[in-house]
Amino acid sequence: QVQLVESGGDSVQAGGSLRLSCAASGGFSGFCMGWFRQDTGRERVREWVALVDRRGRTTYADSVKGRFTISLANPRHTLYLEMNSLIPDDTGMYYCAGGWPAGDHCTGWEDSYKYWGQGTQVTVSS
């Protein structure tokens, strides 16, 4: 049974950094992996943050470009998200997801991600 387990969430001040990890087990073999986030405190919908495929191609949401870095450690299927220059708008529950692309590249379309972790909370205070 495939499992994705996130870790690394914490409370930090604006301008700080965090590194999130997501460990995949159970024979996960998906082509796409990504980080999504949702700030339920402000009733925001879940949004994709960063994506990576097995070839190492990455995609970032405009809101995090230049500040976040996604990486995938093969063959252990461990996903990372390095987050720098954090701002309060980065606050939310961060989810790791894995799946297969609907087309020829990974996108933030949630239906293409079959596996999801439970999430790790990131809180950024001003």
Side-chain angles (χ1 to χ4, degrees):
Q1 181 178 355
V2 172
Q3 280 193 315
L4 302 179
V5 180
E6 304 94 336
S7 62
D10 205 344
S11 295
V12 297
Q13 297 256 329
S17 299
L18 283 175
R19 188 192 198 204
L20 305 183
S21 300
C22 170
S25 61
F28 174 72
S29 61
F31 185 73
C32 302
M33 292 194 79
W35 289 97
F36 293 72
R37 69 185 179 190
Q38 183 175 22
D39 186 358
T40 56
R42 288 185 283 183
E43 299 184 344
R44 289 185 174 177
V45 298
R46 189 161 60 187
E47 60 179 356
W48 71 273
V49 175
L51 313 170
V52 63
D53 68 23
R54 292 289 178 193
R55 296 177 184 154
R57 294 177 296 187
T58 58
T59 309
Y60 297 93
D62 287 344
S63 59
V64 305
K65 275 181 185 175
R67 301 187 298 119
F68 290 11
T69 303
I70 188 172
S71 59
L72 179 61
N74 288 315
R76 292 190 175 184
H77 311 304
T78 302
L79 184 69
Y80 300 99
L81 185 68
E82 191 78 37
M83 305 188 294
N84 297 309
S85 302
L86 285 161
I87 60 177
D89 272 356
D90 294 322
T91 294
M93 186 69 80
Y94 281 69
Y95 299 91
C96 167
W100 293 264
D104 58 359
H105 62 280
C106 302
T107 70
W109 185 45
E110 292 195 14
D111 286 355
S112 63
Y113 294 87
K114 179 177 180 180
Y115 304 105
W116 292 82
Q118 293 297 312
T120 185
Q121 178 67 34
V122 172
T123 303
V124 185
S125 57
S126 56

